[in-house]
Amino acid sequence: MAVPGAVQGEATPVFVALYPPFEGYRKIKARLLTDDYVPFAPQAGGQAPKAFQLPWMASANDTILGHLNADTPIIIKDSLTTKPPRFRTADAAGSDLGNIVSTMKACLHVGRFQRAAALMQRLNVLYKPDSPELLAVHNDYIRESASKIASTRDQQLLRNLQTWFEVELRGRGIVPNATTCAFMILAVLQDISIGKSNRSIRRYLHLADQGGFRDHLMNELLTVLNEQDFGRVTRISTPEPVLPALPTAPEERVSTRLSQPNRARSELPEVRPVDRNLAGWRALKQSLSIFSEPSDTQILDSADSTAEDKAKKLDIERQLRMEQDTYESAIERWRKDYEHLRKMGINNILTHNSFGALMWTWHGLLEPAIREEIRLANEAESRDVRSKLDEERCQHGPFLQYLDPGKLSAITILSVMTILGTARSGDRGCSIATLVVQIGDAVQDESVAEFLKSNRAHSGILRGVTNASDLRKIASGLKQRNDITAQALEGHMWSSAVKARIGAVLLSKLIESAKLRVFRKDPATATLLESSQPAFLHRSVFDRGRRIGMLSLNTSMADHLAKDPVAASLAQKYLPMVIEPKAWVSFREGGFLTSTEPLVRVPQRDEQSRSYITVAMDNGHMSQVTAGLDVLSRTPWQINGPVLETMLEVWNSGQGIGNIAPDNPAMELPPEPAREDKPAHFKWLRAVRTIGNEKASCRSERCFQNFQLEIARTYLNETFYFPHNVDFRGRAYPMSPFLNYMGADICRGLLTFGIGKPLGPTGLRWLKIHLANVFGFDKASFEERVAFTDEHLKDISDSARKPLDGQRWWLEAEDPWQCLAACKELQSALDSPDPQSFESKLAIHQDGTCNGLQHYAALGGDSIGARQVNLEPGDRPSDIYTGVAELVQEDIEKDARQGHELAHFLQGKITRKVVKPTVMTNVYGVTFMGARAQVKKQLEELHPDFPKTPSVDYDAAAYYIARKIFQALANMFNGAHDIQYWLGDCATRIATAVTPEQMERVEATLAGTLYEADQYNRAPIKGRKGERGHRAELLAFKQSVIWTTPLKMPVVQPYRQKTAEKVDTHLQSISLQNRSIADPVDRRKQLQAFPPNFIHSLDATHMFLSALLCEKQGLTFTAVHDSFWTHASEVETMNHVLRDAFIKMHSEDIMGRLRSEFVIRYKDCMYMAGVKAPSPVSKKICQWRGKFSGLRSGAKPLESAQIDELLLERRRLKLLASENPEERKEGEAMVTPYSIFEQSDGEADLAVEESITEAALGNISAPRENKLQANERLTVGDEDNIGSATTAPDEDAGVLDQQGSEESLADSAEPSDTIVKPKKRRPAARKTWLWRPLSFPPVPKKGEFDVSRIQKSQYFFS
């Protein structure tokens, strides 16, 4: 990519000014090194090696497999980022600078220009005139004012704006830029005096000439003005070439209204709702009614529109209704329920079980309460003297006006009832902090959607759109005005404190409005007593020494809510799309038409990941990732009608057949033993609790399956699509959470491709192989699998024709519904006159063999491991789990021959099922204690009659077997073990490093000089730790592990320590625990997560490369991480593509390139290393420290020593690098801990971080203390990472035990000093620390395995 002002093709540093999103942080300087990039380097001569050259490769797009230069990563220098400064409270805007800016933008958005002007004057006092942040907020003020003037032609507002520009902006020494002048020109164009208008335009053009940004101004005007106004400006300006007129849209006319036909298959039976889920089922049915009710929208089309064009426009209109009308639809459902009860003569709604009618009643009370709160907030703003309540209203009032009060009411009710209705909340309720932030998030999301909706309606963006291709073209066009759109969107992005205040006031109004009519019998008179009670109870509980505010339901309605959850009310926004998804063109533009779900699932507070992705998008580095996502998103899907018909029959019968949860599971409670027998009674209580949990799980699963079947029935005759985005490692996920191909067996059995392709000469064979695979016969050779299917043709025919009335052979399969789908597809092909011509829609799966280990074996060149995971050619597939089980069993037999009692008992009991969970997760960082728990669970399931003796029991056996599994893996994958260790070592060094910028800032602070010109006129409020805390923050370890995937996607590990922010709200004080770029990194998580996350980024790269190559060949393609799907006739071609993409990846020096990137990215950093305490080097360093005294008064000894030694070492290294011989001589004479380390050759004495060894493949931590600590830590993997698209995965997305959200919430009803702090234990000193330049060890030597041999491995993916 070319860089302005740079020589084409050279690696030139470009500094990009990045501002932390939505908060008043200091600006981040971004250093971007760019080059002409394609991801993989061609081999010598520009061709792939002949060993894997395919006939079609010559025509492949060169940009798919090209060169990644490790010397040109994106580098954002953000280590000096600090928390937003706080100032003395004024103007009721709070003391946080970020919140002052957010409140100002909110006032502008809702037209409160007088209040916004007051806040702007406050910012003028706080900022220095040359601060870029001050100019940015002035531009916000001018843009909103100009937009208001353009829509109203308000002459007084125009005069006020011109006065503002001269007095408050230029009069204070603030220099305008192109954006400032562009919007001032937009405003003065509305002046009714043409002469004054022209003079003003010339003035702003002259200012642009003086500032040297005339060309930039003209480009800005192109995006701000319409064609007529732009022509007027160009005529007024000095003579320049006039730009050609913009094309106009073709003339359109309004067609007659078209009725949307009912697309559901009417002959199919209805889906019987779960009795306990009636309200949720009705809500979903109402959402899906879009597919059956006639449309009220006037369709715009040209005179020559065809019926197909009209149908496509109707699909677009349906899609827009699904995405935009979520809350309006909920309100309408509540109203209908209310009117229905009224017609039945039921007047006391508060006593009825219909939650729809009850919520309509609450909505009727809550909406006017919100309107009144807005009115009071506006009155508070006009007062000169304000009470504390007035100041609170001034803080949240502008934000409440972003949306209509009716929509705010619906958002509040749905958010609260959805959370309280989950099984997780239970009787305990939910914390106030969780609720208020959830409400605030929902309000923010809806405000963004409303903004984009109004912006789209204003620009007529959907005019003339007839298909998804047109939408993609329009989306690409949006990128040209991305700067303006992004600036406007910033006003809709709020801090956690702002969202908490919004949520708190809305929640308080709901608590006041929501009432219930409760009837109870008087125990004395047996009369029925009636009373009105609050629907919600606000109370406090103590949790780990902290007082937590909780909200719970009135007990009289909790049981009803368990039966009628309301989560389905939000379903329609994320249903599968009925048109092709929008192409990804920016961080929040792609996928759904109007939704603002991000391209990369990162927590809202993770500014660092978002900054890297945004810079990468702006510079075209994410083009192949977005292209791959578009390939997945454009794959059409349909519902498998015959399978759905069978599934509905099973469902409506209430039986638990084929993984369908039964309606009434037969779980009888065991007889209760005598209470005197305490051990037996305790065991009985545990069994009762287990059965209760199983019943609740079954009920929850049946409710979810109810939704899935209802969606499938509605989509029966539709062709639909799944929009996709990625997690922070690049793994792709569909954004429709309720029904997608990543779901369980039921979902996969219901789905087929939307287009069929003839089986051809090879398709029938692959269809038979697929059937054997889903049945569970997948460890045999292909020929044996085909023979297996041929041997069961009678069973297959019986299953296809009489799935429930026949022998039910398909139910014996591991994946019964996928097996049934395969049976029906195969039988249909065999019944056709010509099977080769049969058009099959069934997706055929090709799965990798423990794909993580495949990547490790290729990276490490492990020949033995490569054979175990099918990288080596073979006559039949290898099974890594069987291989490990055999090695473990051999080792156990050796121990048994030596008299080991436990080994003797375990002979013959080690199967692949015992070792599979541990082998599968070991590559993703499972700890030894986690592995032991996995083995124990498998033993309990497979051998329930295990003895319990002092030497033989489940725990002892699990510990023993887990050790053997780890040893077997370490022997099989020796190179992979070394690579994992190397990755962990690199992560440890990075996570304990400080940057050159931090060191320079420390030097400047101690010297009493400024590192850079301060941008504030007033000193911010200092924290409780004062200056010493400020120094400590400057030296905090803030370096995340960051790397670039082979597709040039930057990956930022988001693991940071949490800091608390106290927010005072209407309800109580809330402590929000957030993670931000200003917080230190979590060193342990950075280390433990890096190896698995790195492997995940490689398998994501392999998937995207395969997707792009498959599209180039015209193949249908989709993937579930390491399981790739296509039509039966295209499997062999896809397999060639998969092998070729994998070979191209691993023919490159991936590890060497990673190390090179680290060397550049972390250049000149220093990290804190450790030396073994009893070593000679350690003793010399300690002796030197006894003589060296650099402590300053008022500083703690350790802190002072660390700072002094860091600066001393920095000075020594500078002198040694000097060109002045005297300075070099001075540097050579200096003695520091690192110079002692160098002279003593102390590499062998470096202390190894415990977590490094834990991260290595097959490692076992020896001391029991380490095992117990490991058991408390997170286990890495992502098997359950198929969450809702509405929530970004937590930054622990790489861990099996995932957290709930990115903001771990705890709220307190009392000040923070009520927290009971546990006693801190001082760890024993085991190493001596020292500062040394950040360097990285050599990459482990690669084994002898030749990756090109994969091309001949037919079972690589099978």
Side-chain angles (χ1 to χ4, degrees):
M1 172 171 181
V3 181
V7 179
Q8 180 72 9
E10 292 186 357
T12 308
V14 178
F15 290 89
V16 182
L18 293 180
Y19 297 89
F22 330 133
E23 297 200 14
Y25 284 5
R26 295 178 182 271
K27 71 175 183 179
I28 302 172
K29 292 180 179 178
R31 174 171 170 261
L32 173 65
L33 302 176
T34 60
D35 65 345
D36 292 330
Y37 164 74
V38 278
F40 288 105
Q43 304 297 317
Q47 299 293 326
K50 293 182 178 180
F52 51 94
Q53 178 79 32
L54 299 179
W56 48 265
M57 283 183 60
S59 62
N61 189 343
D62 290 339
T63 62
I64 291 178
L65 299 175
H67 174 59
L68 170 63
N69 187 347
D71 296 335
T72 60
I74 294 174
I75 301 174
I76 298 179
K77 296 184 177 181
D78 50 18
S79 60
L80 294 183
T81 303
T82 58
K83 293 288 186 182
R86 304 177 73 88
F87 298 90
R88 299 295 175 190
T89 302
D91 298 312
S95 59
D96 189 305
L97 184 60
N99 291 341
I100 296 175
V101 174
S102 296
T103 305
M104 187 276 297
K105 291 181 178 180
C107 292
L108 290 174
H109 178 78
V110 300
R112 310 291 296 181
F113 289 98
Q114 185 175 358
R115 172 87 190 288
L119 293 173
M120 279 298 308
Q121 290 170 344
R122 166 90 168 135
L123 294 171
N124 280 338
V125 173
L126 297 178
Y127 279 112
K128 285 191 173 180
D130 58 352
S131 169
E133 282 83 354
L134 182 59
L135 177 59
V137 292
H138 270 283
N139 285 343
D140 289 332
Y141 180 83
I142 293 172
R143 179 178 60 248
E144 293 294 337
S145 299
S147 300
K148 180 74 172 179
I149 294 168
S151 61
T152 63
R153 297 183 68 87
D154 187 328
Q155 299 301 297
Q156 184 58 48
L157 186 57
L158 172 60
R159 300 291 171 255
N160 294 342
L161 180 61
Q162 289 178 303
T163 301
W164 179 276
F165 179 82
E166 299 299 338
V167 176
E168 297 294 339
L169 193 137
R170 299 193 72 240
R172 291 181 178 272
I174 303 171
V175 180
N177 61 9
T179 301
T180 318
C181 294
F183 282 102
M184 288 302 300
I185 290 175
L186 171 64
V188 299
L189 281 168
Q190 317 308 317
D191 198 326
I192 58 176
S193 172
I194 300 299
K196 289 182 179 179
S197 176
N198 290 346
R199 285 195 298 274
S200 297
I201 292 173
R202 291 190 185 97
R203 170 167 167 69
Y204 300 133
L205 292 173
H206 178 66
L207 289 175
D209 289 332
Q210 287 183 325
F213 52 81
R214 178 66 171 272
D215 291 340
H216 189 190
L217 172 60
M218 300 307 292
N219 290 332
E220 289 275 353
L221 290 173
L222 275 171
T223 65
V224 172
L225 304 180
N226 58 33
E227 180 184 356
Q228 181 179 356
D229 287 341
F230 184 78
R232 178 182 167 188
V233 173
T234 55
R235 288 192 297 272
I236 294 172
S237 64
T238 54
E240 290 185 5
V242 179
L243 296 177
L246 300 176
T248 57
E251 184 177 353
E252 299 174 342
R253 63 179 179 85
V254 178
S255 71
T256 57
R257 181 185 299 176
L258 299 178
S259 294
Q260 176 64 38
N262 186 348
R263 300 188 176 215
R265 182 177 293 179
S266 57
E267 59 269 22
L268 280 182
E270 294 279 348
V271 181
R272 182 167 69 84
V274 178
D275 293 339
R276 299 173 178 268
N277 191 34
L278 291 175
W281 175 77
R282 283 195 294 268
L284 181 65
K285 289 281 286 185
Q286 179 66 26
S287 299
L288 295 173
S289 64
I290 293 173
F291 291 87
S292 57
E293 293 177 354
S295 171
D296 293 328
T297 301
Q298 298 292 317
I299 304 300
L300 296 173
D301 54 83
S302 55
D304 57 350
S305 294
T306 64
E308 183 179 359
D309 293 335
K310 295 175 182 178
K312 290 179 179 178
K313 289 181 180 180
L314 277 172
D315 285 339
I316 294 174
E317 184 260 330
R318 283 193 302 163
Q319 185 62 40
L320 289 173
R321 283 181 61 195
M322 283 194 292
E323 294 182 25
Q324 295 175 347
D325 299 341
T326 302
Y327 296 108
E328 292 87 344
S329 299
I331 295 173
E332 181 63 18
R333 285 194 298 274
W334 300 343
R335 184 188 64 78
K336 288 182 177 180
D337 283 354
Y338 179 87
E339 292 178 350
H340 176 68
L341 293 181
R342 286 293 189 187
K343 290 179 181 179
M344 294 172 59
I346 300 174
N347 296 317
N348 194 350
I349 302 299
L350 295 179
T351 65
H352 200 267
N353 291 340
S354 172
F355 271 104
L358 182 60
M359 285 188 282
W360 172 256
T361 304
W362 293 351
H363 175 69
L365 297 171
L366 180 57
E367 182 179 357
I370 296 174
R371 291 185 187 278
E372 177 65 12
E373 180 65 23
I374 293 173
R375 185 188 69 79
L376 293 174
N378 292 338
E379 286 185 358
E381 290 180 8
S382 63
R383 296 191 181 103
D384 294 331
V385 179
R386 302 187 182 107
S387 65
K388 183 178 180 180
L389 181 58
D390 287 339
E391 291 182 352
E392 289 181 1
R393 283 180 168 140
C394 288
Q395 291 183 26
H396 64 244
F399 297 95
L400 294 179
Q401 299 177 59
Y402 271 71
L403 297 174
D404 177 77
K407 182 166 286 188
L408 287 174
S409 172
I411 290 172
T412 305
I413 294 172
L414 284 173
S415 298
V416 172
M417 299 303 289
T418 298
I419 294 175
L420 293 179
T422 60
R424 211 170 24 180
S425 298
D427 298 332
R428 186 171 182 265
C430 181
S431 72
I432 293 292
T434 300
L435 288 167
V436 298
V437 173
Q438 180 74 19
I439 295 170
D441 283 337
V443 173
Q444 176 185 265
D445 292 343
E446 189 63 21
S447 75
V448 173
E450 284 287 312
F451 167 77
L452 294 179
K453 180 180 177 181
S454 61
N455 188 51
R456 183 175 289 105
H458 178 72
S459 62
I461 192 172
L462 291 180
R463 286 190 161 195
V465 174
T466 59
N467 53 38
S469 176
D470 292 340
L471 281 176
R472 286 195 293 275
K473 293 177 183 177
I474 289 175
S476 299
L478 281 175
K479 198 168 186 180
Q480 302 302 319
R481 12 171 258 200
N482 206 31
D483 290 341
I484 304 299
T485 303
Q487 293 170 13
L489 274 175
E490 280 191 13
H492 299 261
M493 298 301 175
W494 311 321
S495 68
S496 295
V498 169
K499 290 186 285 187
R501 291 190 179 99
I502 297 170
V505 68
L506 292 174
L507 180 59
S508 67
K509 296 303 174 184
L510 176 62
I511 293 173
E512 294 171 5
S513 304
K515 305 293 182 183
L516 285 176
R517 188 72 61 181
V518 178
F519 293 90
R520 299 186 184 278
K521 284 186 179 182
D522 187 323
T525 63
T527 57
L528 200 61
L529 303 178
E530 179 182 352
S531 65
S532 177
Q533 296 183 2
F536 304 100
L537 175 63
H538 181 200
R539 57 195 173 87
S540 297
V541 299
F542 282 94
D543 183 16
R544 289 172 291 183
R546 185 187 296 268
R547 195 174 180 183
I548 305 294
M550 303 292 294
L551 190 74
S552 57
L553 290 167
N554 188 305
T555 54
S556 63
M557 68 177 294
D559 293 337
H560 294 299
L561 184 60
K563 298 177 182 179
D564 288 344
V566 296
S569 298
L570 304 176
Q572 75 178 57
K573 192 173 183 179
Y574 300 102
L575 290 171
M577 297 181 67
V578 293
I579 63 171
E580 285 189 13
K582 186 166 61 176
W584 284 102
V585 295
S586 70
F587 186 75
R588 286 191 178 272
E589 286 190 44
F592 291 108
L593 298 187
T594 61
S595 175
T596 57
E597 302 306 326
L599 167 68
V600 182
R601 299 182 179 193
V602 295
Q604 290 189 10
R605 300 285 293 181
D606 185 7
E607 304 101 346
Q608 192 176 29
S609 293
R610 192 158 53 244
S611 296
Y612 270 90
I613 295 298
T614 300
V615 173
M617 289 286 290
D618 291 345
N619 289 274
H621 293 184
M622 294 281 289
S623 59
Q624 291 180 291
V625 173
T626 56
L629 285 174
D630 294 339
V631 170
L632 300 177
S633 300
R634 289 196 299 267
T635 299
W637 296 89
Q638 288 180 350
I639 297 298
N640 191 324
V643 172
L644 175 61
E645 188 172 355
T646 304
M647 205 174 288
L648 286 176
E649 186 176 350
V650 172
W651 175 266
N652 290 335
S653 71
Q655 301 179 61
I657 297 177
N659 298 328
I660 288 182
D663 194 7
N664 293 302
M667 298 182 186
E668 296 184 2
L669 295 176
E672 182 178 3
R675 292 182 177 270
E676 292 75 14
D677 188 353
K678 291 185 178 180
H681 197 266
F682 177 78
K683 185 177 181 181
W684 176 82
L685 288 174
R686 188 165 54 184
V688 169
R689 185 164 53 249
T690 300
I691 292 175
N693 291 337
E694 290 177 355
K695 284 187 175 181
S697 176
C698 183
R699 180 172 64 249
S700 175
E701 185 178 6
R702 186 164 176 87
C703 290
F704 190 68
Q705 290 174 351
N706 192 175
F707 291 168
Q708 291 175 324
L709 287 174
E710 194 62 61
I711 294 171
R713 187 180 184 279
T714 302
Y715 276 78
L716 180 58
N717 292 326
E718 301 280 348
T719 296
F720 51 91
Y721 305 85
F722 298 115
H724 290 69
N725 59 3
V726 296
D727 66 11
F728 73 94
R729 301 160 301 184
R731 302 193 104 193
Y733 296 92
M735 298 164 66
S736 301
F738 297 97
L739 179 69
N740 62 63
Y741 62 88
M742 282 193 181
D745 176 52
I746 290 177
C747 294
R748 297 186 183 191
L750 282 171
L751 296 172
T752 67
F753 287 132
I755 56 174
K757 293 187 178 181
L759 288 176
T762 63
L764 187 64
R765 175 176 180 265
W766 283 110
L767 187 55
K768 292 179 178 181
I769 292 172
H770 173 73
L771 194 152
N773 288 343
V774 295
F775 190 86
F777 190 75
D778 56 346
K779 307 301 180 293
S781 66
F782 287 143
E783 289 71 20
E784 290 170 337
R785 296 182 215 182
V786 172
F788 170 85
T789 301
D790 289 338
E791 292 171 2
H792 290 88
L793 285 179
K794 290 185 178 180
D795 295 323
I796 292 169
S797 177
D798 178 77
S799 298
R801 302 179 194 279
K802 298 181 293 181
L804 299 178
D805 300 327
Q807 300 298 318
R808 298 190 178 188
W809 174 80
W810 60 280
L811 287 176
E812 300 174 16
E814 287 187 0
D815 300 307
W817 292 107
Q818 294 177 75
C819 181
L820 178 62
C823 288
K824 289 180 176 293
E825 191 82 353
L826 178 60
Q827 191 60 47
S828 298
L830 294 176
D831 289 343
S832 65
D834 180 11
Q836 291 192 19
S837 301
F838 175 76
E839 292 196 352
S840 173
K841 294 183 177 181
L842 194 67
I844 306 301
H845 311 169
Q846 295 290 279
D847 300 342
T849 305
C850 201
N851 190 239
L853 285 175
Q854 288 182 322
H855 283 288
Y856 267 127
L859 290 172
D862 290 312
S863 298
I864 297 176
R867 285 197 296 271
Q868 293 295 330
V869 291
N870 292 309
L871 300 188
E872 280 280 8
D875 296 333
R876 49 188 308 107
S878 297
D879 179 27
I880 178 64
Y881 310 116
T882 301
V884 171
E886 290 174 351
L887 286 178
V888 170
Q889 186 61 46
E890 289 176 7
D891 217 4
I892 288 175
E893 290 176 356
K894 290 180 182 178
D895 290 346
R897 288 194 293 269
Q898 296 175 5
H900 195 293
E901 181 182 357
L902 181 57
H904 181 76
F905 176 79
L906 290 174
Q907 283 184 301
K909 291 183 172 62
I910 307 302
T911 63
R912 71 184 304 273
K913 287 188 176 182
V914 173
V915 306
K916 181 176 179 179
T918 303
V919 174
M920 185 168 57
T921 57
N922 192 278
V923 68
Y924 299 127
V926 67
T927 62
F928 179 75
M929 295 301 291
R932 193 177 75 169
Q934 292 171 336
V935 174
K936 181 180 178 180
K937 181 180 178 181
Q938 296 300 104
L939 291 176
E940 289 174 341
E941 292 180 357
L942 297 173
H943 306 287
D945 55 345
F946 224 74
K948 292 184 179 180
T949 66
S951 58
V952 180
D953 62 8
Y954 283 122
D955 289 325
Y959 180 89
Y960 176 71
I961 295 172
R963 287 181 61 90
K964 298 295 184 184
I965 295 173
F966 274 46
Q967 290 169 359
L969 285 171
N971 292 333
M972 279 184 177
F973 298 91
N974 184 60
H977 179 278
D978 294 341
I979 287 173
Q980 277 195 327
Y981 187 93
W982 183 88
L983 293 172
D985 189 10
C986 291
T988 298
R989 299 184 182 204
I990 293 169
T992 55
V994 293
T995 65
E997 294 79 20
Q998 287 178 282
M999 291 183 274
E1000 290 172 17
R1001 186 59 181 262
V1002 172
E1003 287 178 336
T1005 302
L1006 297 180
T1009 61
L1010 290 177
Y1011 177 73
E1012 59 184 2
D1014 201 352
Q1015 57 183 328
Y1016 304 115
N1017 285 322
R1018 294 186 180 180
I1021 301 172
K1022 290 186 178 180
R1024 290 182 299 174
K1025 296 182 180 180
E1027 188 60 34
R1028 188 165 58 83
H1030 178 63
R1031 280 201 307 271
E1033 182 181 6
L1034 291 176
L1035 266 188
F1037 299 135
K1038 297 183 179 181
Q1039 291 298 292
S1040 296
V1041 180
I1042 304 171
W1043 70 96
T1044 308
T1045 72
L1047 290 183
K1048 216 168 186 182
M1049 173 182 171
V1051 179
V1052 181
Q1053 291 202 147
Y1055 314 112
R1056 292 184 179 271
Q1057 298 176 16
K1058 295 177 289 187
T1059 55
E1061 177 184 6
K1062 183 181 177 183
V1063 181
D1064 293 323
T1065 70
H1066 267 49
L1067 290 170
Q1068 63 177 58
S1069 294
I1070 296 174
S1071 179
L1072 301 177
Q1073 293 187 354
N1074 302 318
R1075 298 180 180 93
S1076 76
I1077 195 173
D1079 295 319
V1081 296
D1082 188 320
R1083 289 183 288 170
R1084 184 173 293 278
K1085 287 186 180 179
Q1086 289 282 344
L1087 186 160
Q1088 290 184 326
F1090 180 38
N1093 284 339
F1094 179 69
I1095 294 300
H1096 281 317
S1097 70
L1098 291 184
D1099 69 45
T1101 298
H1102 181 226
M1103 188 278 290
F1104 279 126
L1105 286 176
S1106 301
L1108 294 172
L1109 284 170
C1110 283
E1111 186 188 46
K1112 185 68 178 178
Q1113 300 307 308
L1115 309 183
T1116 304
F1117 180 88
T1118 197
V1120 182
H1121 303 318
D1122 58 353
S1123 177
F1124 300 160
W1125 302 4
T1126 191
H1127 284 92
S1129 59
E1130 299 172 338
V1131 172
E1132 292 192 1
T1133 304
M1134 184 183 74
N1135 278 338
H1136 284 297
V1137 170
L1138 303 185
R1139 292 193 288 266
D1140 178 65
F1142 193 89
I1143 292 169
K1144 294 292 281 185
M1145 280 181 59
H1146 288 283
S1147 295
E1148 296 289 326
D1149 184 9
I1150 293 177
M1151 300 306 299
R1153 186 173 57 201
L1154 177 66
R1155 184 183 182 279
S1156 298
E1157 179 183 344
F1158 281 170
V1159 169
I1160 294 173
R1161 183 178 297 283
Y1162 303 105
K1163 183 181 179 181
D1164 298 328
C1165 290
M1166 301 275 284
Y1167 84 101
M1168 186 176 285
V1171 178
K1172 297 174 185 177
S1175 65
V1177 178
S1178 172
K1179 293 179 181 179
K1180 291 180 182 179
I1181 292 174
C1182 291
Q1183 290 173 358
W1184 174 86
R1185 283 181 178 150
K1187 300 176 183 179
F1188 176 75
S1189 177
L1191 303 185
R1192 294 173 303 280
S1193 60
K1196 287 186 177 180
L1198 178 60
E1199 174 196 316
S1200 177
Q1202 289 177 345
I1203 293 175
D1204 291 341
E1205 290 188 21
L1206 174 65
L1207 299 183
L1208 183 67
E1209 184 59 44
R1210 176 176 169 81
R1211 172 172 169 74
R1212 186 180 79 90
L1213 294 177
K1214 281 186 175 181
L1215 292 173
L1216 291 175
S1218 173
E1219 296 181 359
N1220 187 328
E1222 294 297 326
E1223 291 183 349
R1224 286 200 303 272
K1225 186 176 181 180
E1226 180 184 353
E1228 292 169 356
M1230 291 178 66
V1231 179
T1232 65
Y1234 182 54
S1235 70
I1236 296 172
F1237 177 88
E1238 286 184 306
Q1239 292 170 6
S1240 303
D1241 193 18
E1243 289 290 340
D1245 293 323
L1246 279 175
V1248 178
E1249 186 79 17
E1250 292 178 5
S1251 300
I1252 296 178
T1253 57
E1254 292 168 8
L1257 184 71
N1259 177 75
I1260 307 168
S1261 302
R1264 178 171 177 78
E1265 300 85 65
N1266 291 355
K1267 300 191 190 79
L1268 295 176
Q1269 292 172 5
N1271 193 36
E1272 296 171 358
R1273 290 191 294 270
L1274 299 171
T1275 307
V1276 179
D1278 74 333
E1279 295 173 333
D1280 301 319
N1281 193 12
I1282 309 179
S1284 167
T1286 62
T1287 306
D1290 184 81
E1291 45 201 54
D1292 299 332
V1295 291
L1296 289 174
D1297 299 327
Q1298 294 187 21
Q1299 305 291 316
S1301 69
E1302 94 285 353
E1303 293 173 330
S1304 182
L1305 302 167
D1307 56 293
S1308 60
E1310 299 292 336
S1312 58
D1313 58 4
T1314 61
I1315 299 174
V1316 179
K1317 296 183 179 179
K1319 295 181 179 179
K1320 295 183 178 179
R1321 291 182 298 177
R1322 184 168 184 152
R1326 290 173 292 175
K1327 59 185 179 182
T1328 301
W1329 62 269
L1330 76 154
W1331 293 105
R1332 64 178 300 197
L1334 179 55
S1335 60
F1336 299 94
V1339 174
K1341 185 179 179 181
K1342 198 171 184 178
E1344 298 180 353
F1345 172 69
D1346 181 5
V1347 73
S1348 65
R1349 290 178 58 78
I1350 296 174
Q1351 193 57 243
K1352 299 180 180 179
S1353 175
Q1354 58 179 330
Y1355 297 108
F1356 168 56
F1357 268 68
S1358 63

